[in-house]
Amino acid sequence: RGDWLVIHSSADPESLNPLTSNDAGASSILSWIFPSLLRIDNTTLQLEPMLVKSLPETSPDHLSYQYTLRDDVNFSDGQPLTAEDVVFTLKAIRHPKVRAPHLRNYYEAVSDVSAPDPHTVRIQLAHAYFLADWQLGGIQPLPRHYYDPDDLLGDIGFEELADYDALPAEKKERADRFAADFNGKFNRNPLGTGALATSSFPI
């Protein structure tokens, strides 16, 4: 709306793919485009809500996390952020053919993720992980409608991606197509929630 933020960068990012890029230049740019579920207060170093209404409901055994998304967040194309976008993001990270091993390593404990309604995300862990609060809170949701326009991962469950070689042939063909598209088509054209999502939560 006429406002600009100009940041000096010492080098061009190698890629602006939100999952496959891992250089410092890209990270400094993508952090402004893709805010996370939670943020860290730089003064207190405590986690606080960003794209969610509150800190997650956590089971006593720390194996179940439930997040409630804010209902006033849109992606920059006007489409609303929903729980399905968070589910899709974790699917893309888990997908063994998406070139994101540097991220996948941190989500190995996740055994399932679901969206019981448009604003609720439930994440189940196979075992307790001492960094789970920070890693799960650090999920930066991607717009499913943009990064998977043909809904290639739509009916492929998160758990199925963990046993990729056992996928039925038709699902595996679609999953392969998704990975090829995701790895190759989104390196210079990111789309996220951007500053719109953080207007009431200054960084």
Side-chain angles (χ1 to χ4, degrees):
R1 299 191 181 94
D3 295 325
W4 290 82
L5 174 65
V6 179
I7 300 175
H8 177 266
S9 178
S10 59
D12 287 337
E14 295 179 7
S15 164
L16 289 175
N17 186 304
L19 297 187
T20 65
S21 62
N22 62 0
D23 61 288
S27 297
S28 65
I29 294 170
L30 293 171
S31 64
W32 290 95
I33 301 172
F34 298 96
S36 51
L37 300 181
L38 304 178
R39 69 185 288 270
I40 298 177
D41 184 285
N42 289 329
T43 302
T44 66
L45 302 182
Q46 298 298 309
L47 291 169
E48 59 182 40
M50 180 175 270
L51 294 181
V52 292
K53 293 183 176 180
S54 61
L55 295 178
E57 296 178 23
T58 308
S59 63
D61 59 7
H62 298 284
L63 295 180
S64 179
Y65 288 73
Q66 179 166 301
Y67 298 86
T68 302
L69 299 177
R70 289 167 51 188
D71 54 13
D72 62 344
V73 177
N74 293 329
F75 292 104
S76 59
D77 63 355
Q79 294 295 312
L81 167 68
T82 72
E84 288 294 345
D85 295 307
V86 181
V87 172
F88 163 74
T89 302
L90 279 171
K91 280 185 181 182
I93 292 172
R94 171 54 61 90
H95 195 312
K97 293 196 174 182
V98 170
R99 297 180 190 138
H102 58 289
L103 285 178
R104 197 151 41 245
N105 180 60
Y106 292 105
Y107 296 96
E108 287 298 325
V110 177
S111 60
D112 198 17
V113 57
S114 62
D117 64 59
H119 291 98
T120 303
V121 180
R122 289 178 184 161
I123 300 175
Q124 191 71 29
L125 303 184
H127 54 81
Y129 178 42
F130 76 108
L131 289 178
D133 290 355
W134 283 267
Q135 289 302 139
L136 299 181
I139 294 170
Q140 298 168 294
L142 311 184
R144 182 182 64 163
H145 67 277
Y146 180 74
Y147 286 98
D148 188 13
D150 296 323
D151 201 24
L152 297 174
L153 293 186
D155 66 344
I156 301 176
F158 181 86
E159 292 175 307
E160 289 182 285
L161 290 169
D163 191 8
Y164 197 79
D165 291 337
L167 280 173
E170 189 273 336
K171 285 187 175 182
K172 192 170 186 179
E173 186 274 332
R174 283 190 285 112
D176 285 346
R177 270 196 290 142
F178 168 79
D181 288 348
F182 188 87
N183 290 332
K185 292 184 177 179
F186 300 103
N187 294 328
R188 287 291 173 185
N189 49 349
L191 189 148
T193 56
L196 177 66
T198 61
S199 58
S200 60
F201 293 91
I203 294 177

